[in-house]
């Protein structure tokens, strides 16, 4: 499984960004895809995840603001982030779980600042 993430950048508080994560390779075996983030001095945490059956899970801190979705035709998972807050500033990573293994992208920086 290979993953390619895109999106991220600098946005003002209250703004929106969309992250994309395209999967290739043995994508039929992917059970779950998700986004994690790591802020300076903090542990990496789950932001949102979506299963192959389209069940979703969100961190409490992003519920109602972030939406994870998938486009099976494009083998891509999206993270739509609305109403962004300074505390959302972090490096974001896409993850895929396949056959008990975890695959990661390089991080993409999201900075929320005025």
């Amino acid at each position: 499984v290979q993953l390619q993430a895109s999106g991220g950048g600098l946005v003002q508080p209250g703004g929106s960004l969309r992250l994309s994560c395209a999967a290739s390779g043995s994508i039929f075996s992917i059970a779950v895809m998700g986004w994690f983030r790591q802020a300076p001095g903090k542990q990496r945490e789950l932001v949102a995840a979506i299963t192959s059956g389209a069940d979703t899970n969100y961190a409490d801190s992003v519920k109602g603001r972030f939406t994870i979705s998938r486009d099976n035709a494009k083998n891509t998972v999206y993270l739509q982030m609305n109403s962004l807050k300074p505390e959302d500033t972090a490096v974001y990573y896409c993850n895929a779980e396949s056959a008990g293994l975890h695959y990661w992208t390089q991080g993409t920086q999201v900075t929320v600042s005025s």
Side-chain angles (χ1 to χ4, degrees):
V1 175
Q2 294 82 44
L3 304 174
Q4 180 68 46
S6 60
L10 173 64
V11 65
Q12 292 186 341
S16 299
L17 282 174
R18 188 176 79 161
L19 304 180
S20 301
C21 181
S24 61
S26 301
I27 57 175
F28 60 90
S29 64
I30 295 176
V32 185
M33 290 186 71
W35 289 93
F36 289 71
R37 68 186 180 188
Q38 187 166 18
K42 294 187 177 181
Q43 290 187 332
R44 189 174 297 188
E45 63 174 357
L46 174 68
V47 177
I50 186 165
T51 70
S52 57
D55 292 324
T56 58
N57 183 39
Y58 296 92
D60 288 342
S61 60
V62 306
K63 284 181 180 177
R65 300 188 298 120
F66 291 12
T67 302
I68 190 168
S69 61
R70 62 193 298 158
D71 184 332
N72 291 329
K74 296 182 178 180
N75 301 319
T76 299
V77 170
Y78 303 98
L79 183 67
Q80 179 66 43
M81 304 184 291
N82 299 327
S83 302
L84 282 161
K85 304 176 180 180
E87 51 264 43
D88 295 316
T89 295
V91 178
Y92 285 69
Y93 301 87
C94 178
N95 170 273
E97 180 184 341
S98 172
L101 299 177
H102 285 266
Y103 301 86
W104 296 89
T105 59
Q106 290 188 335
T108 183
Q109 179 70 45
V110 171
T111 302
V112 185
S113 175
S114 55

